[in-house]
Amino acid sequence: MRRRALLGAALLAAPALAQAAPKVVVIGGGFGGATAARALHRLGVAVTLVERDATYLSCPFSNAVIAGLREMEAQRFGYDGLRREGIAVVLQAARTVEARQVVLADGATLPFDRLVMAPGIALRPDAIPGLDTEVMPHAWRAGPQTLLLRRQLEAMEDGGLVVLSAPANPYRCPPGPYERASLIAHHLKTRKPRSKLILLDAKDTFSKQKLFEEAWAALYPGLLEWVPLSSGGKVVEVDAAARVVRTEFGEHQAAVANIIPPQSAGRIAQAAGLTDRSGWCPVDPVSFESRQRAGVHLIGDAIIAGAMPKSAFAANAQARVCAEAVAALLRGEAPAPPKLINTCYSLVEPGYGISIAGVYQPANGLLADVPGAGGVSALGAPAATRAAEAGYAEDWFRTVTADAFG
Amino acid sequence: MARALINLPRTARRGEVIEIRTLIQHVMETGYRPGADGVVVPRDIITRFTCLYNNEEIFAAELAPAIAANPFLSFSTVATESGILAFTWTGDNGFEQTETRSLTVT
Amino acid sequence: MRICVGLSLLVALPAAAAPPPGASSCAGCHGGGGMPVLAGQPAEAIAGTMLAYKAGRGSPTVMDRIARGFTEEEIRAIAAWVSAPR
């Protein structure tokens, strides 16, 4: 008991000691941050959630919005559920992180004993010379960009060329560009059948590749063409005004161009000095504590998670593990090594779902695949299986949004 | 025939520095890697690449087992006169492939 | 003084039973959005189903791929934890 008390005292800097209950600030109200805030609150921690926007727009299922299969309002979630539970929600951007306090946009400060950050991604459109995202939307953060791309597709004349480009790894939602290509192809097939989609790729392999290729051959032959890196798929520059997309070996005149640029950890993670030279945040795989700054934990798309992908499911799972670790550390205990699961569904047309799953554990300082576990849906599965997985995708979305936002 | 991709401008001004990009689809098997049956897969790589500009060698590269599949090479030259650029990849197992492109210099 | 305050802080955060490895990930799907809700189900039934999937029996779409990532002991611990109403 005496040892624990000493440990606890050593753990906490002087400003925090004025409060009886340990204070944790969570920055970012997406799937990771909102889940972490609720999980910490359930563990008896006084939590303040800092989020820039009054409502959150979900990226999962936003490809269906682009393709006209779903309305944007179905993607919107607020923070009233968190407030009702007694979680303080501060609707402001975080400007920076100082020693044991967060500085908000208006200059106010929030002290913390431990900080959890779920800052998501920053897009790097400047990595592609000529890119103007108001003309060639990325639509990689749900919101106005999603609707801009949808309007461009709706306004396009039949017979137009849609060019979509996918970045090199790592980036948010590895199967996302391929689900998007599939659902845009579905839109073209059903509304503008003389049109074509070219998917330019800065890599030669991708998530659920065989399943996507099986579906594309069956559903979109001659309509959807994938151009890998080794066939000249890497975009090197664009002429946004002329809607020309240039690769290392050629160029495409697009009617609609959706350029998904390279990414890095969210701005606040960079401002707080939590990123390494890769632009992403190295963390301890047991506690999710930053390797660059003690007392600060990171989860979700911003982190270097080893084998674990940047997905909403992963962020939700990491948030719960991180909350347990933070609570243990606040008690002066060492967090136990976790296992985490990821499951990710993609739609290739309405009623046709495919999945990838993985189980992860800490190994060599990262999260590694548990050998023998995980993998993708079976190739050649019957339509009933594809329909079941499409249904499970919706079940998961209902569950995870309720889990994160109440 | 392997698929080869070449990108250079069709025309250039005399004295202009032009960039040339090439990529050839090739496994670049290192010769160190055991296959599914546990037996080492024999080496199969591109060993040399050359670019001739009107029969004069302007660029050459020696390739080694550490170079990844589908080797991409980018280099530049000065456009001196109209003519033909010939790109040749040679490698293990008698591999040899030549592609040509014309350049008009104004 | 510091030690006293530190002590009160530690007391302020009672240790609840932490989830066994892997258990907290289940809530992403099994929370009432359409897939089976696990809280309140018999732990033995949950463990039996997971162990069958791990052994290649039954016809799940994704749970076999997940079950193979856990030992029998881990599966039984997860089943006990997720079956408890909370």
Side-chain angles (χ1 to χ4, degrees), chain A residues 30-40 43 116 118 288 298-300 308 312-326 340 403, chain C residues 24:
Chain A
F31 285 99
T35 303
R38 295 189 76 205
L40 284 160
L43 290 165
V116 176
F288 291 85
L298 289 140
I299 52 174
M308 207 169 182
F313 193 114
N316 175 263
Q318 290 165 5
R320 291 168 162 275
V321 167
C322 179
E324 292 285 348
V326 166
L340 296 102
D403 190 53
Chain C
S24 65

Side-chain angles (χ1 to χ4, degrees), chain A residues 162-232:
Chain A
V162 179
V163 175
L164 201 159
S165 92
N169 293 322
Y171 61 95
R172 162 182 281 176
C173 190
Y178 311 95
E179 178 187 73
R180 176 173 295 179
S182 305
L183 295 182
I184 291 176
H186 172 77
H187 173 82
L188 298 177
K189 181 180 168 182
T190 51
R191 313 267 185 87
K192 292 163 184 171
R194 295 191 296 117
S195 309
K196 197 180 166 189
L197 186 149
I198 291 183
L199 172 50
L200 301 171
D201 206 332
K203 52 196 178 301
D204 277 326
T205 57
F206 61 89
S207 177
K208 307 179 197 167
Q209 181 168 351
K210 288 191 171 132
L211 289 160
F212 276 113
E213 288 177 335
E214 176 186 63
W216 293 344
L219 300 171
Y220 312 121
L223 199 164
L224 192 167
E225 182 193 353
W226 176 61
V227 182
L229 173 69
S230 61
S231 295

